[in-house]
């Protein structure tokens, strides 16, 4: 499971309503649909796998969950220095979610996984398991 923290510094997410617009309108209209752009250092080459569970958050609020439909890929526009990589979000799995990162941290702790996800700057990754999938499913609105 990967936690992706959407930033208000990103041009696509200046406020909370823009996050909803992004998932409802922009992401499905990308070519290919679900193309989620990545900066140079966000996810390592082998850092995301097909079918990986994803939690998207904005200012610690969990906004959406989905699954990955690809690993990390190189962006075809070689002139794009800000976003040289991307992965595909499986648009059939995107759904609105509820809660916040502190709730996820508590749920992880209850199954023996002690990981600081609220205060970390990066996009934490937690190995998938039945317990993790149950936590991820509990976030669906």
């Amino acid at each position: 499971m990967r936690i992706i923290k959407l930033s208000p510094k990103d041009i696509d997410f200046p406020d909370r309503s823009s996050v909803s617009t992004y998932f409802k309108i922009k992401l499905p209209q990308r070519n290919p649909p679900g193309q989620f752009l990545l900066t140079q250092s966000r996810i390592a080459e082998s850092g995301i796998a097909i079918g990986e569970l994803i939690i998207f958050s904005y200012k610690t609020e969990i906004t959406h969950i989905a699954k990955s439909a690809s690993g990390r890929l190189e962006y075809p526009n070689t002139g794009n220095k800000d976003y040289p990589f991307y992965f595909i979000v499986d648009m059939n799995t995107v759904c609105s979610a509820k809660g916040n990162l502190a709730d996820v941290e508590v749920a992880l702790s209850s199954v023996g996984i002690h990981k600081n996800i609220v205060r970390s700057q990066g996009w934490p990754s937690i190995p998938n398991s039945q317990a993790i999938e149950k936590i991820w499913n509990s976030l669906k609105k």
Side-chain angles (χ1 to χ4, degrees), residues 23-141:
F23 282 93
K24 285 180 188 172
I25 298 168
K26 191 166 190 174
L27 196 59
Q29 292 179 354
R30 287 255 168 94
N31 185 18
Q35 181 186 57
F36 190 91
L37 302 179
L38 299 168
T39 59
Q40 178 70 37
S41 59
R42 275 299 165 200
I43 294 180
E45 187 174 350
S46 61
I48 193 158
I50 294 171
E52 187 161 351
L53 307 174
I54 304 167
I55 296 173
F56 293 95
S57 70
Y58 185 79
K59 294 184 177 181
T60 75
E61 174 195 357
I62 296 167
T63 64
H64 294 81
I65 60 172
K67 293 182 181 179
S68 173
S70 77
R72 190 186 83 171
L73 304 166
E74 285 192 37
Y75 192 73
N77 177 358
T78 55
N80 192 337
K81 293 179 184 178
D82 292 331
Y83 299 99
F85 305 106
Y86 69 97
F87 73 94
I88 305 295
V89 174
D90 181 344
M91 294 308 299
N92 293 323
T93 65
V94 173
C95 64
S96 295
K98 62 184 185 230
N100 60 55
L101 293 178
D103 297 334
V104 174
E105 211 170 272
V106 168
L108 290 171
S109 183
S110 75
V111 296
I113 299 170
H114 304 286
K115 193 155 188 124
N116 182 351
I117 60 173
V118 177
R119 292 186 198 100
S120 72
Q121 295 264 333
W123 292 355
S125 181
I126 297 105
N128 283 353
S129 68
Q130 282 187 321
I132 295 302
E133 191 161 348
K134 186 175 180 181
I135 291 168
W136 181 82
N137 277 313
S138 75
L139 301 172
K140 291 179 184 176
K141 252 186 187 172

